[in-house]
Amino acid sequence: MTASAFSEILVEHGFVPYSYDFAATALGFQHEIFNVLIHDDPVFTTDSTIHEQLCTPDAMLRCELVTRTGDLTAGIAYFYQQWFRELRYTNPVLQTINLNQNADTATFEILTMSQHNAMTFLFTIK
């Protein structure tokens, strides 16, 4: 599945801007991402950033995570660990994670949905 299908999935499940407050969900995730992956984190630096882009339904939150050591493999493993331990919905109704990796970056395209909430992400690890 491609990230471009994320917006279609959101609509199919009733998550449309006129009936769902994506801004509130994005704000909550921004705080969680900062606390779990950036603030006093052993793997990612405070040079990492989070950008809200609610007009981009396939990646409403875009996060650039900068590794402390440049070890991309460790960054990917740590991201997965923290996603499943701290960030994802406890009982997701639907979750899609696409990983694209090259020599110096990894990109996660994520759609996560609970019964009452949904969000899409683009995480880039450098």
Side-chain angles (χ1 to χ4, degrees), residues 1 10 29 36 38 48 51-52 55 58 96 115 121 126:
M1 173 179 297
L10 290 172
F29 268 112
V36 171
I38 299 172
S48 300
H51 304 278
E52 182 178 293
C55 293
D58 297 321
T96 301
Q115 186 175 359
F121 305 89
K126 300 177 184 179

Side-chain angles (χ1 to χ4, degrees), residues 24-74:
T25 302
L27 182 61
F29 268 112
Q30 287 178 63
H31 287 288
E32 289 298 314
I33 291 165
F34 179 80
N35 289 329
V36 171
L37 293 176
I38 299 172
H39 178 69
D40 289 333
D41 190 81
V43 175
F44 302 115
T45 72
T46 55
D47 293 331
S48 300
T49 59
I50 305 168
H51 304 278
E52 182 178 293
Q53 47 188 39
L54 297 180
C55 293
T56 308
D58 297 321
M60 289 184 254
L61 286 178
R62 180 175 48 88
C63 307
E64 296 175 5
L65 301 171
V66 180
T67 60
R68 290 190 185 281
T69 64
D71 185 347
L72 189 59
T73 302

